Amino acid sequence: RNMLRHSVLLLLLAALPLIHAFSPAGKVVGLSSLGRSAARFSPLPLRAPLTSNRREQGSMAARHGMFKMSGGDVDSLKQQLLSMCDAARQGLEGPASPDFNAVVDSLIALNPTPSPAASPLMGGRWNMRWTSEKEILFLLEKGLFGLPCTSVYQVIDTEAGSLTNSLDFEEESFLRVGSTFRPGEGERFDFKFQSCALKWRWLEVPLPPVGEGWGSQVYLDNTLRIQKDSRGDMLIATKA
């Protein structure tokens, strides 16, 4: 019994800094003093919504033909971006290069979906191809107590208004965070955590949902998502 309690405690301490790894804005609330000391990766304060002059100018340039690209050119940009994601090992190779960011910016300027956060295209399973989120990259590289990470993905149900974030590991282990999904105007969506669970081999521990915030869906089509958040992180995902 003491060994079981010790295992549960270790899992709880390990999980608390990681619960908001999926958080687009990461406003963490309600942690105990122990949890706060364990949460090494505290989120940064919220910044202004991601509708800067640079973004607006890029979109205007695309509308007025400064980016004269056909559908085939957009497909080429997408393929180039995904090849870069693979070469970067989903972000493990370090920060995005200038060339990487240039391709991202070109696609954002050509976003084909008005009000992407409210689009039904958001629904479904989205597999992570690249992220700058340090907590996710830590688990992707180190695994969970010796168990390698096998996949990182989101499942969004636009009708039910739910978003589930998952990291899966070998031996049927996982970290999952369920939240609400509330589209706002344009690119922005809000969320609030509702559930969290960590499973390591035979031991599964429910954890309290402790976060809420918002993200900005800056590019969306039927196969590709690019998402930025107020912490300055970026997620690139493809539909399963």
Side-chain angles (χ1 to χ4, degrees):
R1 180 172 296 180
N2 288 336
M3 183 176 294
L4 176 60
R5 290 176 179 172
H6 183 66
S7 298
V8 171
L9 180 59
L10 284 176
L11 287 175
L12 286 169
L13 289 174
L16 282 170
L18 305 171
I19 291 173
H20 61 90
F22 305 105
S23 164
K27 181 182 177 184
V28 178
V29 296
L31 288 174
S32 65
S33 58
L34 176 62
R36 284 193 296 269
S37 65
R40 300 187 303 275
F41 302 106
S42 298
L44 300 176
L46 292 179
R47 301 173 188 168
L50 295 168
T51 54
S52 65
N53 289 336
R54 182 181 62 82
R55 288 278 320 288
E56 292 172 353
Q57 289 168 1
S59 297
M60 184 178 295
R63 288 195 298 270
H64 289 282
M66 294 177 67
F67 294 94
K68 296 184 179 180
M69 293 187 176
S70 66
D73 293 323
V74 172
D75 289 341
S76 178
L77 275 175
K78 289 168 59 177
Q79 186 56 54
Q80 184 178 357
L81 178 61
L82 295 179
S83 295
M84 288 178 165
C85 291
D86 292 341
R89 296 172 55 226
Q90 297 179 287
L92 290 174
E93 291 298 321
S97 68
D99 287 344
F100 188 100
N101 286 329
V103 174
V104 168
D105 288 343
S106 294
L107 283 168
I108 291 174
L110 297 167
N111 174 42
T113 307
S115 300
S119 170
L121 292 176
M122 285 287 288
R125 170 169 166 157
W126 293 90
N127 295 326
M128 188 195 82
R129 300 296 297 270
W130 188 92
T131 188
S132 59
E133 180 72 54
K134 292 182 176 63
E135 297 90 334
I136 293 178
L137 292 174
F138 177 84
L139 285 173
L140 186 63
E141 182 177 26
K142 304 298 184 182
L144 183 66
F145 295 109
L147 299 179
C149 183
T150 57
S151 60
V152 183
Y153 58 94
Q154 292 180 331
V155 177
I156 299 175
D157 187 330
T158 56
E159 293 186 2
S162 65
L163 187 155
T164 302
N165 299 275
S166 297
L167 281 93
D168 288 351
F169 303 87
E170 290 185 356
E171 300 190 32
E172 300 182 351
S173 300
F174 59 77
L175 173 63
R176 292 200 181 119
V177 181
S179 68
T180 59
F181 175 78
R182 297 190 303 274
E185 295 183 2
E187 303 167 351
R188 179 166 166 160
F189 66 90
D190 298 314
F191 77 95
K192 184 174 183 179
F193 289 145
Q194 292 186 313
S195 63
C196 183
L198 176 70
K199 182 184 179 187
W200 181 74
R201 292 179 174 163
W202 51 270
L203 180 62
E204 183 171 348
V205 181
L207 300 169
V210 293
E212 60 182 359
W214 59 268
S216 189
Q217 196 62 51
V218 294
Y219 181 92
L220 176 68
D221 63 23
N222 60 345
T223 62
L224 179 69
R225 283 175 56 207
I226 302 175
Q227 177 178 299
K228 294 189 177 183
D229 65 42
S230 60
R231 292 173 55 177
D233 286 317
M234 180 166 61
L235 168 72
I236 298 171
T238 53
K239 184 162 282 187

Coordinates of all heavy atoms in Angstrom, one line a residue, residues 53-65 67 105 108-111 187 218:
N53 N -0.8 44.3 -37.0 CA -0.8 45.0 -38.3 C -0.1 44.1 -39.3 O -0.5 44.1 -40.5 CB -0.1 46.3 -38.2 CG -0.9 47.3 -37.4 OD1 -2.1 47.2 -37.4 ND2 -0.2 48.3 -36.8
R54 N 0.9 43.4 -38.9 CA 1.6 42.5 -39.8 C 0.7 41.5 -40.4 O 0.7 41.2 -41.6 CB 2.8 41.8 -39.1 CG 3.7 41.0 -40.1 CD 4.8 40.3 -39.3 NE 4.3 39.4 -38.3 CZ 3.9 38.2 -38.5 NH1 3.9 37.7 -39.7 NH2 3.5 37.4 -37.5
R55 N -0.1 40.8 -39.5 CA -1.0 39.8 -40.0 C -2.1 40.4 -40.9 O -2.4 39.9 -41.9 CB -1.7 39.2 -38.8 CG -0.8 38.3 -37.9 CD -0.8 36.9 -38.6 NE -2.1 36.5 -39.1 CZ -3.1 36.1 -38.3 NH1 -3.0 36.1 -37.0 NH2 -4.3 35.8 -38.8
E56 N -2.6 41.6 -40.5 CA -3.6 42.2 -41.3 C -3.1 42.6 -42.7 O -3.7 42.5 -43.7 CB -4.2 43.5 -40.6 CG -5.0 43.1 -39.3 CD -5.4 44.3 -38.5 OE1 -4.9 45.4 -38.8 OE2 -6.1 44.1 -37.5
Q57 N -1.8 43.1 -42.7 CA -1.2 43.5 -43.9 C -1.0 42.3 -44.8 O -1.2 42.4 -46.0 CB 0.1 44.2 -43.7 CG -0.1 45.6 -43.0 CD 1.3 46.2 -42.5 OE1 2.3 45.5 -42.6 NE2 1.2 47.3 -41.9
G58 N -0.6 41.2 -44.2 CA -0.4 39.9 -45.0 C -1.7 39.5 -45.6 O -1.8 39.1 -46.8
S59 N -2.8 39.5 -44.8 CA -4.1 39.1 -45.4 C -4.5 40.1 -46.5 O -5.1 39.7 -47.5 CB -5.1 39.1 -44.3 OG -4.8 38.1 -43.3
M60 N -4.3 41.4 -46.3 CA -4.7 42.4 -47.3 C -3.9 42.2 -48.6 O -4.4 42.3 -49.7 CB -4.5 43.8 -46.8 CG -4.9 44.9 -47.7 SD -4.7 46.5 -47.0 CE -5.8 46.4 -45.6
A61 N -2.6 41.9 -48.4 CA -1.8 41.6 -49.6 C -2.3 40.4 -50.4 O -2.3 40.5 -51.6 CB -0.3 41.4 -49.1
A62 N -2.7 39.4 -49.6 CA -3.2 38.2 -50.3 C -4.5 38.6 -51.1 O -4.7 38.2 -52.2 CB -3.5 37.1 -49.3
R63 N -5.4 39.4 -50.5 CA -6.7 39.7 -51.1 C -6.4 40.6 -52.3 O -7.2 40.5 -53.3 CB -7.6 40.5 -50.1 CG -8.1 39.6 -49.0 CD -9.3 40.3 -48.3 NE -8.8 41.5 -47.7 CZ -8.4 41.6 -46.4 NH1 -8.3 40.5 -45.7 NH2 -8.1 42.8 -45.9
H64 N -5.4 41.4 -52.3 CA -5.2 42.3 -53.4 C -4.2 41.8 -54.4 O -3.7 42.5 -55.3 CB -4.7 43.7 -52.9 CG -5.8 44.4 -52.2 ND1 -6.8 45.1 -52.8 CD2 -6.1 44.6 -50.9 CE1 -7.6 45.7 -51.9 NE2 -7.2 45.4 -50.7
G65 N -3.9 40.5 -54.3 CA -3.1 39.9 -55.4 C -1.6 40.0 -55.3 O -0.9 39.6 -56.2
F67 N 0.1 38.2 -53.4 CA 0.5 36.8 -53.4 C -0.3 36.1 -54.5 O -1.4 35.7 -54.2 CB 0.2 36.2 -52.0 CG 1.1 36.7 -50.9 CD1 0.6 37.7 -50.1 CD2 2.3 36.2 -50.6 CE1 1.3 38.3 -49.1 CE2 3.1 36.7 -49.6 CZ 2.6 37.8 -48.8
D105 N 4.1 32.1 -42.6 CA 3.5 33.4 -42.8 C 2.8 33.4 -44.2 O 1.8 34.1 -44.3 CB 4.6 34.5 -42.7 CG 5.0 34.7 -41.3 OD1 4.3 34.3 -40.4 OD2 6.1 35.3 -41.1
I108 N -0.5 31.6 -43.8 CA -1.4 32.4 -43.0 C -2.0 33.5 -43.8 O -3.3 33.8 -43.8 CB -0.7 33.0 -41.8 CG1 -0.4 31.9 -40.8 CG2 -1.6 34.0 -41.1 CD1 0.5 32.3 -39.6
A109 N -1.2 34.2 -44.7 CA -1.7 35.3 -45.5 C -2.7 34.8 -46.5 O -3.6 35.5 -47.0 CB -0.6 36.0 -46.2
L110 N -2.7 33.5 -46.8 CA -3.6 32.9 -47.8 C -4.6 32.0 -47.2 O -5.2 31.1 -47.9 CB -2.8 32.0 -48.8 CG -1.7 32.9 -49.6 CD1 -0.8 31.9 -50.4 CD2 -2.5 33.8 -50.6
N111 N -4.9 32.2 -45.9 CA -5.9 31.4 -45.2 C -7.2 31.4 -46.0 O -7.8 32.4 -46.2 CB -6.1 31.9 -43.8 CG -7.3 31.2 -43.1 OD1 -7.4 30.0 -43.2 ND2 -8.1 31.9 -42.4
E187 N -10.7 34.3 -35.8 CA -9.8 33.3 -35.5 C -9.9 32.7 -34.1 O -9.4 31.6 -33.8 CB -8.4 33.8 -35.7 CG -8.1 34.3 -37.1 CD -6.8 35.1 -37.2 OE1 -6.2 35.3 -36.1 OE2 -6.4 35.5 -38.3
V218 N -5.1 30.5 -37.0 CA -4.6 31.5 -38.0 C -4.7 30.9 -39.5 O -4.6 31.7 -40.4 CB -3.2 32.0 -37.7 CG1 -3.3 32.8 -36.4 CG2 -2.2 30.9 -37.6

